[in-house]
């Protein structure tokens, strides 16, 4: 666990805590580490859980699939980020999405029931942990709201501009990397991949954007 402590300490869940405090809370939360191969399911639609995940290595996708097999990507979760915290906080709420390893991944699972009840081993940190968990849940809601904003745009170009602008603002730079390949980006924005690729090519010819694989530059972006 010590090798992952730098990543764990950067997680919003443990914001404001030192190494010894984090180790104490990990014991309190019955922390368990598991490895997953690319493509493995961590959670499936219909399942319930009392544990949330903290990505230590790799990447986890939150995806939905309709009756005909059409995929929509809701979020990409990287090292230091949490997932499934909303479902873990309400264990009677079944998953309405799948959590899948996008790469070979290592995940730290934490028992949320230990957060919502008072502990004896590290109670001086407990209030801070609860506050951090609430902030994480709020941030997840905000992220999904941003996705709705992107996908509600009328055209493929408008969806791309909305998403790329948001990524540039988050990175505070006109050049940034996104966590998706082309198919994944199309699934995230709910557009056809071919149409999206064609629109990106037009936008590059018009001098709006430049890109190489998953690295983008918004041209004439005011930093």
């Amino acid at each position: 666990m010590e090798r992952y402590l730098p990543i764990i300490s950067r997680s919003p869940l443990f914001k404001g805590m030192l190494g010894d405090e984090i180790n104490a809370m990990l014991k309190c939360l019955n922390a368990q580490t598991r490895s997953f191969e690319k493509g493995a399911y961590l959670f499936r639609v219909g399942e319930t859980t009392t544990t949330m995940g903290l990505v230590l290595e790799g990447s986890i996708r939150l995806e939905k699939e309709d009756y005909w097999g059409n995929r929509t990507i809701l979020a990409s979760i990287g090292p230091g980020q949490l997932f499934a915290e909303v479902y873990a906080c309400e264990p009677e709420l079944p998953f309405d999405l799948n959590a899948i390893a996008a790469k070979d991944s290592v995940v730290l699972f934490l028992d949320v029931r230990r957060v919502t009840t008072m502990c004896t081993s590290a109670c001086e940190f407990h209030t801070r942990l609860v506050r951090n968990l609430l902030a994480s849940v709020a941030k997840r809601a905000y992220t999904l709201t941003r996705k709705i904003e992107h996908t509600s745009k009328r055209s493929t170009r408008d969806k791309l501009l909305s998403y790329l602008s948001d990524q540039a603002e988050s990175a505070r730079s006109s050049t940034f990397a996104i966590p998706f390949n082309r198919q994944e980006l199309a699934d995230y924005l709910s557009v056809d991949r071919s149409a999206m690729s064609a629109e990106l090519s037009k936008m590059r010819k018009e001098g709006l954007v430049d890109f190489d694989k998953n690295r983008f530059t918004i041209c004439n972006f005011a930093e």
Side-chain angles (χ1 to χ4, degrees), residues 92-150:
E92 294 185 3
L93 180 68
F95 277 84
D96 60 348
L97 51 80
N98 298 313
I100 303 172
K103 304 176 182 176
D104 291 347
S105 302
V106 179
V107 175
L108 182 68
F109 289 99
L110 306 165
D111 191 343
V112 172
R113 291 173 299 182
R114 303 289 187 92
V115 180
T116 55
T117 57
M118 292 304 296
C119 61
T120 58
S121 61
C123 57
E124 66 265 33
F125 317 130
H126 201 93
T127 300
R128 190 182 309 162
L129 188 73
V130 171
R131 185 168 59 246
N132 290 347
L133 177 59
L134 289 173
S136 179
V137 171
K139 186 174 181 180
R140 176 72 57 213
Y142 174 78
T143 299
L144 292 177
T145 299
R146 296 297 295 165
K147 173 181 164 59
I148 292 172
E149 182 176 337
H150 304 324

